[in-house]
């Protein structure tokens, strides 16, 4: 049975007309409409030609079809009224995207911020989440309005050498994030097995998640989204339980949210809070995930409707992630702020410190922490595999079978992670040093996701009438500049403390010069950015 022509690439058949392949993925009953004349052999031939030429995020038969009840010219231009049923149909991509805000690296940043800075950085966590939401909404907007994801658009926007360099940078960021996520899962497995399973064994167990991902994906995207709902729910319950057990101070919590405070001793933690919010691979991922719903790009009303629903759904998803991060930060603020353990705490020993502080109880807090950490690690490694497929397929236009592409993507992270697990298995301090290097590695890649995103979402040639306006451009570029400056501070501080010797120093300076030159190259050269900043005056 052949699949229907993908309306995100072909505008000759409206997305709201039923076809046999879509019926299994439709969550609303399809309207009884006559078959389109484009359903014949010519359409099938066009689709075969298209599949030979371009990699797509989701094939037409894999997409969830959003049924249009209206018809005529008004349906093409007007945005339909709000519907709870339609919001449910659009719910899913934002929650998959939100996993990057809850990965083990973020949880480690939360617990260290709480232990060292107490409640004082909660306001920054809140506003950092808002900044992250803005970037993710722009990523979703690009995917919905163009029918293509960010990696595909970069392939068309930049020359081959720049495209390949952007792909390499995205892969490096993904590998760094994946190592942290897999190590986090392995630590959780070690905790839950009472130390019987070494770190490398946990890594191998975590590596198998890509097969679970492939198994579920074969049964439809909604099954995969349901799995992530369970994992996010597990995290929420685990960390909420810890929050209830430790009983943080309500007044101090509220003051931390509402009163901005930043001391000289907490700058490093503040940088970590903001730096963890923007994950380069997540910017690419969200623009692809929104294409799991079948939207006809020829109908502006339907495109705007999808953008509206995805904005609501992403906002709700990041509200949930903010609450979970809040729980973790406040638990460790209550338990360890001002104590000797505050400077020593990390993912490896956090559960043990909690156990020593609060004891066993009916359900030991060590295992509650382990369950939450395992859910965070497992969910983030699966989305990392997902993001890796879109990044590789989009930049390189590789048409590979899903299992092979997932295996390649997974191997990029698992092989170095096993080496790391064997080498650092007995050293908590070494794992913390490794984590710092991985944070630096990911921070370096942030401009190579943000600059292309903001460039493309502002271009009328790419976005048409859905390009963002001057006010939103100013806000978005200001947020991007702030995030890049904060991460630049982290990089500078790290290299000043770590780089020693003339030879190593000269190598770092050479690489830094090439790094800055590439960033300058990526900044829009059509005059729009200078004009944008002139408008501030």
């Amino acid at each position: 049975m052949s699949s229907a022509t993908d309306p995100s690439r072909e505008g000759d058949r409206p997305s709201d007309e039923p076809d046999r392949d879509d019926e299994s993925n439709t969550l609303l009953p399809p309207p009884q409409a006559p078959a389109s004349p484009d359903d014949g052999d010519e359409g099938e031939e066009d689709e075969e030609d298209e599949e030979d030429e371009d990699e797509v995020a989701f094939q037409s038969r894999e997409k969830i079809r959003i049924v249009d009840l209206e018809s005529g010219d008004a349906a093409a231009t007007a945005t339909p009224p709000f519907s709870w049923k339609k919001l449910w149909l659009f719910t899913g991509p934002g929650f998959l995207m939100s996993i990057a805000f809850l990965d083990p690296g973020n949880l480690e940043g939360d617990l260290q911020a709480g232990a060292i800075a107490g409640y004082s950085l909660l306001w920054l966590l809140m506003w950092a989440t808002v900044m992250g939401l803005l970037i993710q909404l722009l990523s979703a907007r690009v995917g919905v309005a163009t029918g293509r994801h960010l990696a595909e658009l970069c392939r068309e926007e930049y020359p081959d050498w720049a495209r390949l360099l952007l792909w390499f940078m995205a892969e490096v960021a993904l590998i760094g994030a994946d190592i942290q996520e897999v190590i986090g899962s392995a630590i959780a497995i070690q905790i839950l097995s009472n130390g019987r399973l070494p770190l490398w064994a946990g890594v191998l167990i975590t590596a198998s998640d890509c097969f679970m991902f492939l198994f579920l994906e074969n049964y439809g995207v909604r099954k995969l989204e349901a799995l992530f709902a369970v994992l996010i729910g597990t995290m929420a319950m685990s960390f909420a339980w810890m929050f209830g057990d430790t009983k943080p101070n309500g007044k101090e919590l509220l003051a931390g949210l509402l009163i901005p405070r930043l001391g000289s001793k907490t700058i490093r933690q503040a940088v970590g809070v903001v730096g963890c919010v923007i994950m380069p691979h997540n910017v690419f991922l969200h623009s692809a995930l929104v294409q799991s719903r079948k939207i006809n790009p020829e109908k502006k009303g339907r495109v705007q409707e999808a953008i509206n629903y995805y904005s609501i759904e992403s906002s709700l998803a990041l509200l949930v992630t903010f609450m979970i991060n809040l729980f973790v930060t406040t638990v460790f603020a209550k338990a360890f702020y001002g104590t000797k353990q505050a400077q020593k705490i990390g993912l490896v020993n956090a559960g043990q410190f909690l156990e020593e502080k609060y004891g066993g109880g009916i359900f030991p807090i060590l295992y509650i922490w382990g369950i939450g950490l395992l859910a965070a690690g497992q969910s983030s490694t699966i989305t990392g595999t997902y993001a890796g497929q879109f990044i590789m397929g989009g930049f390189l236009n590789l048409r590979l079978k899903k299992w092979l592409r997932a295996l390649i993507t997974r191997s990029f992270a698992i092989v170095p992670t096993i080496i790391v697990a064997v080498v650092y298995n007995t050293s908590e301090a070494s794992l913390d040093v490794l984590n710092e290097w991985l944070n630096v590695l990911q921070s370096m890649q942030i401009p190579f996701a943000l600059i292309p995103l903001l460039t493309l979402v502002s271009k009328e040639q790419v976005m048409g009438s859905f390009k963002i306006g001057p006010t939103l451009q100013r806000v978005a570029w200001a947020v991007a500049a702030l995030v890049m400056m904060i991460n630049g501070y982290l990089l500078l501080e790290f290299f000043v403390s770590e780089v020693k010797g003339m030879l190593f120093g000269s190598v770092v300076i050479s690489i830094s010069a090439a790094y800055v030159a590439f960033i300058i190259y990526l900044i829009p050269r059509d005059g729009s950015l200078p004009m944008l900043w002139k408008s501030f005056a």
Side-chain angles (χ1 to χ4, degrees):
M1 181 180 293
S2 64
S3 63
T5 304
D6 187 350
S8 67
R9 315 281 300 183
E10 300 271 280
D12 58 349
R13 195 178 74 182
S15 64
D16 52 313
E17 293 182 7
D19 56 66
R20 291 183 297 273
D21 292 320
D22 287 331
E23 289 177 1
S24 61
N25 286 330
T26 302
L27 300 184
L28 287 176
Q32 300 300 316
S36 167
D38 292 333
D39 287 340
D41 296 336
E42 182 180 351
E44 294 176 2
E45 289 172 5
D46 289 343
E47 180 199 2
E48 290 172 2
D49 291 339
E50 179 190 334
E51 289 186 357
D52 289 338
E53 291 176 2
D54 292 312
E55 171 73 13
V56 292
F58 294 90
Q59 296 296 330
S60 180
R61 66 180 178 275
E62 299 171 322
K63 296 186 178 185
I64 295 172
R65 180 160 55 85
I66 309 299
V67 174
D68 290 334
L69 302 178
E70 303 88 352
S71 60
D73 294 339
T77 57
T79 303
F82 177 82
S83 163
W84 287 103
K85 187 173 289 186
K86 278 196 175 182
L87 177 61
W88 170 248
L89 291 176
F90 280 103
T91 297
F95 282 88
L96 268 69
M97 167 276 295
S98 71
I99 292 297
F101 289 70
L102 297 170
D103 69 2
N106 271 357
L107 297 183
E108 183 161 30
D110 291 339
L111 65 89
Q112 289 175 345
I116 295 172
Y119 300 91
S120 65
L121 296 181
L122 292 179
W123 66 275
L124 190 59
L125 174 64
M126 179 176 67
W127 286 107
T129 304
V130 172
M131 290 192 294
L133 174 62
L134 172 63
I135 298 300
Q136 295 303 148
L137 291 181
L138 295 179
S139 175
R141 188 182 190 90
V142 165
V144 174
T146 66
R148 290 170 290 172
H149 58 82
L150 184 58
E152 292 176 303
L153 293 169
C154 287
R155 187 180 75 226
E156 299 174 2
E157 178 73 12
Y158 298 102
D160 286 346
W161 71 269
R163 167 178 61 86
L164 292 174
L165 193 51
L166 283 171
W167 167 72
F168 176 75
M169 294 296 189
E171 290 288 359
V172 167
L174 180 60
I175 291 170
D178 221 355
I179 291 175
Q180 287 181 310
E181 292 156 0
V182 172
I183 290 291
S185 289
I187 291 171
I189 290 170
Q190 195 173 48
I191 291 171
L192 296 174
S193 67
N194 284 322
R196 295 187 182 91
L197 291 176
L199 212 57
W200 63 265
V203 170
L204 291 177
I205 292 171
T206 305
S208 65
D209 64 18
C210 70
F211 299 105
M212 177 176 65
F213 153 72
L214 289 170
F215 174 77
L216 282 174
E217 196 181 28
N218 287 333
Y219 287 89
V221 70
R222 291 299 263 187
K223 303 294 189 299
L224 190 65
E225 292 169 354
L227 169 66
F228 282 96
V230 170
L231 291 171
I232 292 173
T234 301
M235 280 185 272
M237 290 178 62
S238 297
F239 297 131
W241 189 315
M242 289 171 54
F243 182 85
D245 272 358
T246 55
K247 297 179 176 63
N249 188 299
K251 290 182 179 178
E252 291 187 29
L253 189 159
L254 192 60
L257 281 173
L258 300 179
I259 303 173
R261 288 176 289 171
L262 188 61
S264 58
K265 296 180 180 179
T266 60
I267 289 178
R268 189 178 182 87
Q269 284 66 46
V271 169
V273 167
V274 178
C276 287
V277 166
I278 308 295
M279 304 291 285
H281 72 273
N282 208 39
V283 177
F284 290 97
L285 175 65
H286 200 193
S287 63
L289 290 174
V290 294
Q291 293 174 47
S292 60
R293 273 62 175 170
K294 182 174 284 189
I295 306 298
N296 185 356
E298 300 300 317
K299 293 184 176 182
K300 292 183 179 181
R302 297 297 174 264
V303 174
Q304 186 60 57
E305 177 188 42
I307 291 173
N308 294 345
Y309 282 121
Y310 282 133
S311 298
I312 296 171
E313 184 240 3
S314 297
S315 300
L316 292 173
L318 290 195
L319 176 61
V320 173
T321 66
F322 169 70
M323 293 304 301
I324 292 173
N325 285 315
L326 178 74
F327 290 154
V328 175
T329 303
T330 53
V331 162
F332 284 88
K334 171 66 184 298
F336 302 108
Y337 178 57
T339 66
K340 294 180 180 179
Q341 297 100 322
Q343 297 292 336
K344 303 176 184 177
I345 201 162
L347 278 184
V348 178
N349 57 23
Q352 192 60 46
F353 282 163
L354 284 170
E355 186 77 1
E356 292 171 2
K357 184 82 173 180
Y358 293 102
I362 299 175
F363 195 50
I365 198 169
L366 171 66
Y367 297 117
I368 299 172
W369 167 253
I371 291 170
L373 181 59
L374 182 62
Q378 285 293 320
S379 56
S380 56
T381 53
I382 298 175
T383 54
T385 303
Y386 220 11
Q389 293 186 72
F390 294 133
I391 289 170
M392 179 182 291
F395 276 112
L396 305 183
N397 197 24
L398 292 179
R399 298 202 62 81
L400 299 174
K401 291 187 179 296
K402 284 187 177 181
W403 68 267
L404 180 59
R405 198 165 40 176
L407 188 61
I408 293 172
T409 304
R410 203 89 212 86
S411 300
F412 282 165
I414 291 301
V415 173
T417 305
I418 291 175
I419 296 172
V420 165
V422 171
V423 172
Y424 295 109
N425 186 42
T426 57
S427 174
E428 294 179 8
S430 297
L431 274 176
D432 289 338
V433 171
L434 172 69
N435 191 56
E436 287 186 12
W437 277 94
L438 291 174
N439 285 337
V440 167
L441 188 68
Q442 292 174 76
S443 296
M444 291 177 66
Q445 314 311 319
I446 285 177
F448 308 122
L450 289 188
I451 295 176
L453 172 66
L454 298 186
T455 300
L456 292 167
V457 79
S458 305
K459 290 185 72 169
E460 189 171 0
Q461 301 94 311
V462 175
M463 299 290 293
S465 61
F466 292 99
K467 74 167 188 173
I468 59 174
T471 301
L472 187 53
Q473 284 185 49
R474 287 194 291 270
V475 173
W477 278 105
V479 167
L482 178 62
V483 170
M484 288 189 282
M485 285 191 295
I486 288 172
N487 281 278
Y489 172 86
L490 173 65
L491 294 175
L492 182 62
E493 183 189 56
F494 181 80
F495 284 124
V496 166
S497 62
E498 296 292 331
V499 174
K500 295 177 174 61
M502 285 287 292
L503 180 61
F504 192 22
S506 56
V507 170
V508 169
I509 290 172
S510 300
I511 294 174
S512 299
Y515 174 82
V516 172
F518 189 44
I519 291 175
I520 293 172
Y521 170 82
L522 291 175
I523 293 174
R525 300 171 299 284
D526 58 2
S528 60
L529 193 57
M531 290 299 294
L532 181 64
W533 292 116
K534 283 180 184 178
S535 66
F536 274 115

